[in-house]
Amino acid sequence: MGLGSNPAHPVPLGFVFRSRATKDEKVTVADKAQVTDSKQPRDPQAPKGRPTPKRSEAQSQRRSVANTQMTRKEAAKRQREERRAALERQRQALAGGDERYLPARDKGPVRRFARDFVDSRFNIAEFFLPMAVVILVLSMVRVPALQNIALLLWLVVIVLIVLDSFVTGFRLKKRLAERFPDDNKRGAVAYALMRSLQMRRLRLPKPQVKRGERP
């Protein structure tokens, strides 16, 4: 066979070009399909990269949101009930002296000792309100002598309360230093003096010691 002779089985050129054309057509169709899919409108509520949810799925999502709102309402209601229960426990603690549920200003051994110190003795300041009522009634009477007596009683009561509070505060401060040398005693004396201004039956937390009983 010479160099210039034709081969025995020539390959048709159309088959080669047709196969290449077929591959190109497939690639073109795939690109068009991707472009067509990318141009489809997307639901603004659907997350990116995910198909648009069906109506049933959207309704279930709305129901879940509604259930979440109801859960929040129930949580708020539960918080109110817990707050009401905490206030009730605090009220019972003020009446019974339970340290666990007392307000922060009444908690601690220092404050408890200050209360017991005041409750164990007679304080002139606790009779301030009854004496103030008597003095007010006397001052309203249109008799000069009674008005002068009311003014004198008022001055005597004020002086006695100041002296008694000074003595009570001095003794309490000394006892606190002996009993609680390393504890924070800030505000304990003022706390006790404010308690001494209240009548014994109206004090909260309720007195836990008797008069004359050493705390």
Side-chain angles (χ1 to χ4, degrees):
M1 183 181 295
L3 294 172
S5 61
N6 293 330
H9 300 286
V11 178
L13 296 178
F15 175 77
V16 176
F17 290 109
R18 189 180 298 110
S19 62
R20 290 182 179 178
T22 304
K23 293 180 180 179
D24 294 340
E25 289 176 0
K26 290 181 179 180
V27 173
T28 304
V29 172
D31 293 340
K32 287 182 179 180
Q34 292 178 358
V35 172
T36 304
D37 293 340
S38 64
K39 290 183 179 179
Q40 289 181 355
R42 185 177 63 83
D43 188 358
Q45 297 181 353
K48 293 183 179 179
R50 297 181 182 180
T52 303
K54 297 180 181 179
R55 177 177 294 181
S56 60
E57 295 178 355
Q59 291 177 354
S60 64
Q61 291 178 358
R62 286 195 291 270
R63 291 194 193 98
S64 64
V65 172
N67 292 333
T68 303
Q69 293 177 354
M70 291 298 295
T71 303
R72 291 178 181 175
K73 292 180 180 179
E74 292 176 356
K77 182 179 179 181
R78 189 177 299 109
Q79 289 180 356
R80 289 194 298 269
E81 292 176 354
E82 291 177 354
R83 191 180 303 112
R84 191 179 300 110
L87 292 175
E88 179 63 22
R89 288 195 300 267
Q90 189 177 99
R91 187 189 65 81
Q92 294 178 358
L94 290 173
D98 191 348
E99 287 280 344
R100 295 175 299 172
Y101 304 112
L102 287 177
R105 65 181 181 87
D106 298 315
K107 283 186 176 180
V110 175
R111 297 300 175 96
R112 182 180 180 86
F113 181 84
R115 292 195 302 270
D116 293 344
F117 184 85
V118 171
D119 296 337
S120 63
R121 57 195 305 273
F122 284 93
N123 301 279
I124 299 176
E126 67 180 288
F127 302 105
F128 171 76
L129 289 178
M131 289 187 293
V133 173
V134 173
I135 292 172
L136 180 61
V137 171
L138 290 177
S139 62
M140 294 176 63
V141 178
R142 298 289 182 173
V143 178
L146 293 178
Q147 291 180 350
N148 293 333
I149 293 174
L151 180 59
L152 181 61
L153 286 176
W154 183 255
L155 294 176
V156 171
V157 168
I158 295 297
V159 171
L160 290 177
I161 289 176
V162 171
L163 292 176
D164 184 65
S165 299
F166 178 80
V167 173
T168 301
F170 179 79
R171 291 180 177 176
L172 176 60
K173 188 175 181 179
K174 184 178 179 181
R175 294 286 302 278
L176 288 174
E178 295 174 354
R179 183 70 66 90
F180 308 98
D182 300 327
D183 294 347
N184 183 14
K185 297 177 284 295
R186 184 177 181 180
V189 175
Y191 171 78
L193 293 179
M194 289 298 297
R195 184 176 178 85
S196 66
L197 288 172
Q198 303 171 356
M199 299 180 65
R200 182 181 173 86
R201 67 179 62 182
L202 300 179
R203 292 173 183 172
L204 291 175
K206 293 292 185 181
Q208 302 297 314
V209 296
K210 298 179 180 179
R211 292 188 187 274
E213 182 179 351
R214 185 180 179 86

